[in-house]
Amino acid sequence: MTCLSTRLILAAAAAAAVVLCCCGVASAAGDTVADSCAAIRDFVDASFCEARLRSVPGAATADRHGHLLMAADLAAASGATAGDAAARLASAPGDPAAQDALRACGFLYGSASVPALRLMRGYAAARSWGAARSLLMLTGYAGNGCDAALGGGGGAKGKTMAGVDREFHQLSAMATALLNAVANGGR
């Protein structure tokens, strides 16, 4: 009887350990957002990635391909916002050189980066990796162009653009890194 009781207790403990182990693994493996962001942590701040993806409805149940599409949408929206900010700042009175730089910045967002991100997203949705990758050079172009055009100047306008450019850069890098991860065989 003692031997049987001991075996039952050991069997119950082993079963409980298996259940606890499986539940812990399932909860860690079930966080697809954290998994996607961890996969690109060499290119993008993982906490930024997680916060931005978790702001999108459906991200918790999406796979890495879905996260790529979400990141492209976030980056395109951020680029459109940055382009609008550049246009708005360019129309305000101030230094003519800074106004020209801001017009150029807005043009780069509106004619290069945002359309390229939207096209890239469409190709990525269709899993046409070569076509999607062909647009990567253009996707982040606007932010780089704005930094160069303002040259750290532009006063308050330059500081305003630095914030929206930084957000765009991070989101564009996130979409690029996820595209590369998925196209290279990631989920």
Side-chain angles (χ1 to χ4, degrees), residues 31-33 50 52-63 66-67 70:
D31 190 350
T32 62
V33 171
E50 287 186 39
R52 293 311 308 258
L53 283 178
R54 290 188 197 288
S55 73
V56 179
T61 58
D63 62 3
H67 294 151
M70 292 171 189

Side-chain angles (χ1 to χ4, degrees), residues 56-77:
V56 179
T61 58
D63 62 3
R64 195 163 297 153
H65 183 250
H67 294 151
L68 158 61
L69 302 179
M70 292 171 189
D73 289 340
L74 289 168

Side-chain angles (χ1 to χ4, degrees), residues 77-93:
S78 175
T81 298
D84 290 346
R88 189 175 50 258
L89 291 170
S91 67

Side-chain angles (χ1 to χ4, degrees), residues 21 24-25 32 71 75 87 100 102 136 139 153 156 163 176 184:
C21 180
V25 170
T32 62
D100 286 344
L102 287 163
L136 289 179
T139 60
T176 297
N184 291 332

Side-chain angles (χ1 to χ4, degrees), residues 111-124 128-142 168 172 176 179-180:
S111 66
S113 292
V114 173
L117 279 161
R118 290 179 179 148
L119 285 169
M120 183 200 78
R121 188 221 189 270
Y123 286 128
S128 183
W129 307 125
R133 281 182 164 161
S134 72
L135 295 161
L136 289 179
M137 183 185 280
L138 291 174
T139 60
Y141 194 70
F168 172 75
S172 180
T176 297
L179 171 64
N180 287 325

